[in-house]
Amino acid sequence: MTDIALSMQDRTNPRFNRGSRLVDTVSRAGLLIAILAVVLYGALASPVFFTTGNLVNVLTSMAIVGIVVVGMTFVLVVGGLADLSVPATIACGAILSLALQPMIGPVPAFVLAVALAGACGLVNGLLVGYVGINPIIATLGVGTIVLGIVQAAVGGVIVYGTDPATAALVKSRVLGIPTIALIFLAIALIGNFVLSRSFWGRWTIATGGNYSAAEASAVPVRAVKAGAFIITALCSGLSGALLGLTLQSARPLVGTGYEFSAITAVVVGGVSIMGGFGSVPRAIAGLVFVQLLTNVMVLQGVRTPVQGFILGLLIAIAVALDVALRKRGVA
């Protein structure tokens, strides 16, 4: 069956589309209201919220996580549950982009760091897509091994940058907009095009929506599933390399927590954890809400454990809502 035929099959499947439209309508309206409510509360509760410095900090933080969010969207849409090797691939990108600068120069070091992070994703993809190992177990195992290798390579110490010019470039602004935010925008546009406009994107959605049907329709489901983990690893490596250049220092645990932030944004954005439904813009909308909410909590002095509790509660509500609406839509 051709891509067009497969796409037509998805559009004419009333059981699947009924649930998707309901999820789409509820999550779009709910997210928009939630974002506006957070902005309004932030403006009223803190005089710092609308200052240029605070908004630039939010945008920069959003860009680093957002690049990972783009990749993680592919993993969830293809039905890959989650990629827990993100902290390791971020550390790989951050440390190698700095550590290799004196030996091969800043640009080759940057490219090699991202490529090696992508190699970690290739291992994840082979284990998940071809061997059939559970994605949680595979990515957790690979991430632990990669992080151990990175720690051993640098002796567990902090690595510092030696090329201030690259830091200045990453921290620079274009028309007042941080360069790193523009890089995030470019990655988001590419990710959205691939997922929504290309044959690979249609295969990704088809594989996550109904693996057996996609396989019977000649979709290379194993390669598509593996590709989602490679995309996530490349995005994580790029995010880590930019983070390392921004900070001009990196330690093995620099990526800790980013996988949780990315999964939270994607799930809150309405991307189905069950696979087969979601888009990059929806995931970014979830990211905007989570980042603004976190910023308001920080400005209000909410303790870190409480912030974690609230974000965890958001994930639970989003997943429960997704499951409930889909069951109702396909009943």
Side-chain angles (χ1 to χ4, degrees), residues 59-70:
L59 196 57
T60 302
S61 174
M62 192 182 299
I64 294 291
V65 182
I67 295 173
V68 182
V69 165
V70 174

Side-chain angles (χ1 to χ4, degrees), residues 1-199:
M1 185 180 294
T2 65
D3 295 340
I4 295 176
L6 189 60
S7 178
M8 288 299 294
Q9 182 188 52
D10 288 341
R11 284 197 296 267
T12 55
N13 186 336
R15 299 182 69 202
F16 181 80
N17 288 339
R18 195 163 54 237
S20 298
R21 284 195 296 269
L22 185 58
V23 172
D24 186 64
T25 302
V26 171
S27 61
R28 279 178 188 275
L31 255 185
L32 179 60
I33 294 172
I35 291 173
L36 292 176
V38 171
V39 171
L40 180 61
Y41 178 79
L44 295 175
S46 173
V48 180
F49 182 77
F50 264 127
T51 59
T52 302
N54 182 58
L55 294 179
V56 168
N57 286 336
V58 172
L59 196 57
T60 302
S61 174
M62 192 182 299
I64 294 291
V65 182
I67 295 173
V68 182
V69 165
V70 174
M72 193 68 81
T73 302
F74 280 82
V75 167
L76 265 73
V77 171
V78 85
L81 297 179
D83 186 344
L84 299 185
S85 67
V86 163
T89 46
I90 286 181
C92 182
I95 289 176
L96 293 182
S97 64
L98 297 178
L100 296 176
Q101 281 184 354
M103 292 176 276
I104 60 177
V107 175
F110 185 90
V111 174
L112 185 58
V114 176
L116 288 176
C120 299
L122 176 61
V123 176
N124 283 331
L126 292 175
L127 292 176
V128 175
Y130 288 89
V131 181
I133 298 177
N134 182 287
I136 301 297
I137 296 173
T139 57
L140 187 60
V142 170
T144 303
I145 293 171
V146 170
L147 197 56
I149 294 174
V150 171
Q151 286 179 317
V154 299
V157 300
I158 299 176
V159 177
Y160 294 96
T162 57
D163 186 14
T166 55
L169 177 63
V170 175
K171 294 178 181 176
S172 64
R173 298 183 187 182
V174 178
L175 300 176
I177 303 173
T179 301
I180 199 167
L182 296 176
I183 295 173
F184 164 51
L185 177 62
I187 297 298
L189 291 174
I190 294 171
N192 182 50
F193 174 81
V194 172
L195 188 57
S196 65
R197 301 293 180 184
S198 73
F199 69 88

Side-chain angles (χ1 to χ4, degrees), residues 145-313:
I145 293 171
V146 170
L147 197 56
I149 294 174
V150 171
Q151 286 179 317
V154 299
V157 300
I158 299 176
V159 177
Y160 294 96
T162 57
D163 186 14
T166 55
L169 177 63
V170 175
K171 294 178 181 176
S172 64
R173 298 183 187 182
V174 178
L175 300 176
I177 303 173
T179 301
I180 199 167
L182 296 176
I183 295 173
F184 164 51
L185 177 62
I187 297 298
L189 291 174
I190 294 171
N192 182 50
F193 174 81
V194 172
L195 188 57
S196 65
R197 301 293 180 184
S198 73
F199 69 88
W200 190 268
R202 290 196 294 274
W203 285 352
T204 299
I205 294 171
T207 301
N210 191 325
Y211 187 92
S212 299
E215 187 176 32
S217 302
V219 172
V221 288
R222 293 178 180 81
V224 171
K225 206 156 193 174
F229 288 90
I230 297 173
I231 291 172
T232 304
L234 288 172
C235 288
S236 301
L238 175 60
S239 178
L242 291 172
L243 180 62
L245 293 178
T246 302
L247 301 174
Q248 281 297 289
S249 65
R251 56 187 175 85
L253 299 181
V254 68
T256 302
Y258 277 88
E259 80 285 16
F260 178 73
S261 299
I263 293 170
T264 302
V266 174
V267 173
V268 170
V271 177
S272 176
I273 200 168
M274 299 164 66
F277 177 70
S279 68
V280 171
R282 297 175 62 87
I284 292 176
L287 173 67
V288 170
F289 171 69
V290 171
Q291 289 292 311
L292 289 175
L293 179 63
T294 302
N295 181 248
V296 170
M297 287 193 290
V298 170
L299 293 177
Q300 291 298 298
V302 177
R303 292 184 301 158
T304 302
V306 178
Q307 294 181 30
F309 172 78
I310 293 174
L311 295 178
L313 189 62

